[in-house]
Amino acid sequence: MSKEPQRIAKLLARAGVASRREVERMIAERRIAIDGKALETPATIVVSLRGVTVDGNPVAAPTPARLFRFHKPQGLLTAERDPKGRPTIYDRLPNGLPRVVPVGRLDLNTEGLLLLTTDGGLKRQLELPSTGVERAYRARAYGQVSQAQLEDLIEGVEIDGIRYGRIDANLERRTGANVWIEMKLAEGKNREVRRVLEHLGLRVSRLIRTSYGPFELADMPLGAVDEIRQHDLVQFRKTLR
């Protein structure tokens, strides 16, 4: 572990305690302390987690990052908790998993591959647009669209003042009044796929994320979780910008 001075929120995220945002909330609730004294600001600079406690419990030193695949069903929020009481991914994850945070989000009605990691630094690295990690989706939508319209998305598109980057989209097949479309993109803005397809006059009825970087959903059963091999994770991280 680096001995360079860093913000405590970053180190706690790296140790898998919680996301940086969640750590900041925990500090505001005075749940995090150093040598028994509650922290007052997430800007606190430290060189290690020695003496740091969360809810009175010592924080273990970071271990190597772990990455899991989860086949998220529809109807689950990608959040730790919901003020409205709706079910979240954590209600569905099996017992025995370490503390994990999601890489990116899938909205309530989107299903498919959701990566989970024990390492806040890896989460951020995989989410940053500058890293350029490609995500792939399959969408079923009602309406008419041509391959030519989809190919125009390769140049990106602006919708309601928001610029969406390059999207590689292909018409997979038509089934009655519905179309299945495959899409690949590297940014992953909030509800990007749905908004772009709605912009083309389509109504999305099903959206499945099929891959994130080299990690694929494949034939993974709905609701299942498995771990990416450490060797594969290490090799992948070497390819990131």
Side-chain angles (χ1 to χ4, degrees), residues 80-142:
E80 187 162 358
R81 61 182 63 84
D82 178 47
K84 298 179 180 178
R86 293 172 294 181
T88 76
I89 59 171
Y90 292 97
D91 296 318
R92 185 65 183 265
L93 293 177
N95 294 328
L97 278 185
R99 161 76 193 187
V100 291
V101 290
V103 175
R105 291 180 178 269
L106 293 178
D107 64 35
L108 182 69
N109 293 315
T110 301
E111 59 194 282
L113 179 64
L114 181 64
L115 296 181
L116 307 166
T117 180
T118 57
D119 189 307
L122 176 60
K123 166 185 167 69
R124 178 171 171 79
Q125 189 177 29
L126 292 176
E127 290 175 346
L128 284 173
S130 59
T131 310
V133 179
E134 187 175 79
R135 296 87 148 153
Y137 297 80
R138 292 182 70 230
R140 183 181 68 193
Y142 176 82

Side-chain angles (χ1 to χ4, degrees), residues 5-80:
Q6 299 182 63
R7 286 192 174 214
I8 194 167
K10 179 178 180 180
L11 282 186
L12 287 171
R14 171 73 178 81
V17 169
S19 68
R20 290 193 200 187
R21 184 174 297 175
E22 182 73 4
V23 167
E24 290 172 0
R25 186 182 68 80
M26 294 165 76
I27 289 173
E29 295 173 351
R30 303 184 72 80
R31 293 170 57 193
I32 298 175
I34 298 180
D35 296 330
K37 183 178 179 181
L39 294 185
E40 298 180 355
T41 170
T44 301
I45 303 297
V46 296
V47 296
S48 78
L49 294 175
R50 185 186 301 273
V52 176
T53 57
V54 177
D55 296 331
N57 300 310
V59 178
T63 56
R66 297 173 67 185
L67 188 66
F68 298 82
R69 294 188 308 161
F70 173 46
H71 187 165
K72 176 192 172 295
Q74 290 185 7
L76 296 180
L77 285 177
T78 306
E80 187 162 358

